[in-house]
């Protein structure tokens, strides 16, 4: 009889231990989920803070976009004149029409790269305009990438006409310097 009471007590204590263990396990699982959620929310808050800090810089770019575009366009005009390329005939901004005309001509006639190479090599004004354009466009893209690293705006400019023109001008400049 005493053995039965001991076994019963041992069984009850074991069952209580199992119940407590399961309860502690569930609490730890919930704490783990809460910890993951809080970490995720913290990371989102940090990202939101970063975006809000960079928003003012992006707003400054948007407010000054016309000045930036005009500066880039002023460097494109002598380049286009030297290689005899006309801007697109579209209702876009003059900068995008000019870049579109250059890239359209290059797509139709790869000899445009050779014409630009010769112009860089023979005309210091064209070479200076290319350098100025590339420096300013690269600075603009770098600014966009730092203020909006995951943004649609920076990707649009980098993958669009601005990025394509930088590649085109860099190729022509490299070819011009190799032949010297």
């Amino acid at each position: 009889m005493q053995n039965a009471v001991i076994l019963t007590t041992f069984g009850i204590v074991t069952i209580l231990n199992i119940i407590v263990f399961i309860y502690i396990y569930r609490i730890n699982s919930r704490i783990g989920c809460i910890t993951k959620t809080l970490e995720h929310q913290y990371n989102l808050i940090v990202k939101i803070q970063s975006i809000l800090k960079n928003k003012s810089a992006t707003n400054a770019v948007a407010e000054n976009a016309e000045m930036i575009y005009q500066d880039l366009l002023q460097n494109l005009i002598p380049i286009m004149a030297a290689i005899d390329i006309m801007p697109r005939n579209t209702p876009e901004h003059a900068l995008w029409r000019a870049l579109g005309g250059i890239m359209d001509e290059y797509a139709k006639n790869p000899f445009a790269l050779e014409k630009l190479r010769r112009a860089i090599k023979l005309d210091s004004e064209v070479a200076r305009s290319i350098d100025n354009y590339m420096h300013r466009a690269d600075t603009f893209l770098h600014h966009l990438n730092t203020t909006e690293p995951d943004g649609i705006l920076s990707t649009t400019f980098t993958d669009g006409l601005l990025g394509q023109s930088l590649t085109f001008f860099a190729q022509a400049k490299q070819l011009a310097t190799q032949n010297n």
Side-chain angles (χ1 to χ4, degrees), residues 33-103:
C33 288
I34 290 170
T35 303
K36 285 181 184 177
T37 302
L38 288 175
E39 286 176 6
H40 179 70
Q41 287 176 345
Y42 175 77
N43 290 337
L44 285 176
I45 288 171
V46 168
K47 189 173 184 178
I48 288 170
Q49 283 177 328
S50 173
I51 289 170
L52 289 176
K53 284 179 186 176
N54 294 332
K55 186 171 174 55
S56 63
T58 303
N59 286 343
V61 169
E63 291 169 5
N64 297 318
E66 186 59 33
M67 284 186 350
I68 295 167
Y69 293 172
Q70 288 301 323
D71 184 43
L72 292 171
L73 183 60
Q74 289 304 313
N75 289 299
L76 283 178
I77 292 170
I79 298 167
M80 294 177 68
I83 57 177
D84 196 30
I85 292 179
M86 296 300 294
R88 284 179 178 167
N89 189 12
T90 60
E92 301 171 293
H93 187 277
L95 174 65
W96 307 122
R97 288 194 320 250
L99 289 173
I102 292 169
M103 297 315 296

Side-chain angles (χ1 to χ4, degrees), residues 2-179:
Q2 238 181 359
N3 285 343
V5 171
I6 292 175
L7 282 175
T8 305
T9 306
F10 180 72
I12 291 173
V13 169
T14 304
I15 290 173
L16 287 175
N17 282 339
I18 291 172
I19 290 172
V20 168
F21 176 75
I22 291 172
Y23 183 71
I24 290 172
Y25 178 77
R26 283 181 146 179
I27 289 174
N28 283 338
S29 295
R30 288 181 183 165
I31 289 173
C33 288
I34 290 170
T35 303
K36 285 181 184 177
T37 302
L38 288 175
E39 286 176 6
H40 179 70
Q41 287 176 345
Y42 175 77
N43 290 337
L44 285 176
I45 288 171
V46 168
K47 189 173 184 178
I48 288 170
Q49 283 177 328
S50 173
I51 289 170
L52 289 176
K53 284 179 186 176
N54 294 332
K55 186 171 174 55
S56 63
T58 303
N59 286 343
V61 169
E63 291 169 5
N64 297 318
E66 186 59 33
M67 284 186 350
I68 295 167
Y69 293 172
Q70 288 301 323
D71 184 43
L72 292 171
L73 183 60
Q74 289 304 313
N75 289 299
L76 283 178
I77 292 170
I79 298 167
M80 294 177 68
I83 57 177
D84 196 30
I85 292 179
M86 296 300 294
R88 284 179 178 167
N89 189 12
T90 60
E92 301 171 293
H93 187 277
L95 174 65
W96 307 122
R97 288 194 320 250
L99 289 173
I102 292 169
M103 297 315 296
D104 290 348
E105 181 65 26
Y106 178 60
K108 287 188 290 187
N109 181 9
F111 186 69
L113 181 64
E114 175 60 20
K115 285 170 61 175
L116 182 58
R117 181 198 67 81
R118 286 182 191 164
I120 292 169
K121 191 173 180 180
L122 300 174
D123 188 348
S124 63
E125 176 71 19
V126 172
R128 191 168 35 84
S129 293
I130 289 280
D131 288 339
N132 288 339
Y133 174 83
M134 290 178 66
H135 173 72
R136 288 181 170 100
D138 193 45
T139 302
F140 176 62
L141 289 175
H142 178 69
H143 179 73
L144 284 177
N145 285 330
T146 56
T147 58
E148 193 185 31
D150 298 328
I152 295 172
L153 185 63
S154 61
T155 304
T156 300
F157 280 104
T158 303
D159 294 345
L161 288 172
L162 199 61
Q164 292 172 12
S165 69
L166 279 173
T167 303
F168 176 66
F169 292 152
Q171 287 175 337
K173 185 177 174 184
Q174 183 180 14
L175 290 171
T177 56
Q178 283 178 352
N179 291 337

